[in-house]
Amino acid sequence: MTLTSPAAPTRSTPRNLAGQKALVTGANSGIGRAVAIALGQAGADVVVNYVAEDEAAAQVVAEIQSHGVAAYGHKADVSREDEVRAMFAGMIAQFGTIDILVANAGLQRDAAFQQMTLEQWNTVIGINLTGQFLCAREALREFLRRGVVAAVSCAAGKILCMSSVHQEIPWAGHANYATSKGGIMMMMRSLAQEVAPHHVRVNGIAPGAIRTPINTDAWKTAEAYAGLMKLVPYRRIGEPEDIARAAVWLASDESDYVVGTTLFVDGGMTLYPGFATGG
Ligand code: NAD
């Protein structure tokens, strides 16, 4: 078993998001970066939200623009209502509307439960869960105002909520994070039920272990990687591009009848690998 994963497929991406306007939160790193680039490759104009590291955001913007679409960076903290509202107002002023929201920004502040501070709890819930609420609400307001434009998409808008396998798998030492992801799952499903009659599609993606800066400790040494593989039946770590391909599909009309679902992209991590030999 090698430490590397197979290269992403090299076939050209169909530009099935041409003419659509997308916003990806937390898009200057890891999964959000790969999703933003893939949406641009698929023909969408993209707003690259980020909260720190201007240079990393500028690089993502340049890479998206190299695919012949428009892109710009917008610095905003997704847990702040005023900053989120200003970001969406700016996007509508610049791009005219929004068709795709990928609510991806997230972080961890790990601690044993008895030592977890209120600040650690509130930071994770505020960014991971409330941040998705604030962004989804602004996107929805525009989707409902505009409605379906058949030449652009079958749907009046698409919202993708970046969740985690920890919407399902409890995670000792990470109660704030797992709670935020369980909350995302039920927010996503409730919102999907509420707005499906308006032809707005809301879905979630639950990544397993993906090679990004959020979880370096889980894969950076051969020993850590071997330990991680005990949790992954498919026996490789996920790459950000694995999630990006799922996001492009969920954002496109190819998935038009997919509503209120979580797509697990986890190499089988949620298959209870501890029971693979009979438990
Ligand atoms: P990452 O640390 O590389 O990226 C997180 C991004 O969110 C960064 O760009 C960061 O700056 C941004 N962010 C943090 N706080 C923000 C705020 N207040 N406002 C705006 N942006 C903010 O990590 P990642 O692995 O790419 O994580 C992306 C999402 O995927 C997260 O929601 C994470 O929970 C989820 N996820 C990751 C994994 C994994 O294995 N990497 C697994 C499951 C779920």
Side-chain angles (χ1 to χ4, degrees):
M1 184 61 57
T2 63
L3 288 184
T4 54
S5 307
T10 50
R11 64 181 182 280
S12 61
T13 313
R15 290 176 76 83
N16 53 359
L17 300 180
Q20 300 202 42
K21 318 294 179 191
L23 187 151
V24 184
T25 67
N28 66 345
S29 177
I31 290 171
R33 176 182 186 281
V35 168
I37 292 168
L39 293 174
Q41 268 176 328
D45 296 332
V46 185
V47 179
V48 173
N49 162 256
Y50 67 105
V51 75
E53 299 185 35
D54 297 346
E55 183 52 36
Q59 283 173 9
V60 177
V61 167
E63 185 158 351
I64 296 169
Q65 288 169 338
S66 76
H67 297 292
V69 295
Y72 70 90
H74 187 107
K75 193 173 195 167
D77 179 341
V78 296
S79 68
R80 293 188 54 101
E81 184 176 30
D82 54 343
E83 294 186 25
V84 169
R85 295 193 71 169
M87 176 166 71
F88 279 82
M91 178 177 185
I92 287 160
Q94 193 125 337
F95 283 171
T97 192
I98 177 169
D99 302 288
I100 300 160
L101 166 67
V102 183
N104 165 79
L107 46 61
Q108 293 177 209
R109 291 288 182 268
D110 309 329
F113 200 92
Q114 73 277 15
Q115 281 154 7
M116 188 175 287
T117 64
L118 182 59
E119 196 203 350
Q120 286 172 319
W121 176 269
N122 282 340
T123 298
V124 171
I125 300 297
I127 293 169
N128 294 15
L129 180 56
T130 308
Q132 291 210 9
F133 158 70
L134 291 170
C135 292
R137 189 184 62 177
E138 293 310 307
L140 180 63
R141 286 173 175 168
E142 172 61 10
F143 297 161
L144 296 178
R145 182 202 66 76
R146 190 203 55 229
V148 176
V149 179
V152 174
S153 173
C154 305
K158 283 86 55 167
I159 297 174
L160 304 187
C161 299
M162 199 59 68
S163 184
S164 163
V165 290
H166 294 296
Q167 74 172 41
E168 182 165 321
I169 303 175
W171 203 10
H174 306 73
N176 47 1
Y177 183 84
T179 302
S180 75
K181 297 302 185 179
I184 286 168
M185 183 262 290
M186 203 40 98
M187 183 192 76
M188 179 279 289
R189 295 180 71 203
S190 300
L191 177 58
Q193 185 193 60
E194 188 170 326
V195 300
H198 299 281
H199 267 230
V200 173
R201 289 196 301 116
V202 187
N203 288 290
I205 298 177
I210 310 299
R211 194 194 309 267
T212 77
I214 209 173
N215 60 357
T216 314
D217 290 348
W219 50 262
K220 74 178 167 196
T221 66
E223 198 181 8
Y225 191 90
L228 180 64
M229 286 308 102
K230 292 182 187 149
L231 301 176
V232 184
Y234 204 58
R235 296 288 187 267
R236 74 164 172 89
I237 195 168
E239 303 295 343
E241 291 73 20
D242 288 307
I243 306 302
R245 284 190 291 276
V248 169
W249 179 72
L250 277 175
S252 78
D253 285 350
E254 299 292 312
S255 61
D256 188 53
Y257 208 51
V258 180
V259 174
T261 274
T262 299
L263 179 55
F264 285 80
V265 185
D266 69 352
M269 192 178 243
T270 37
L271 295 175
Y272 296 92
F275 285 80
T277 53

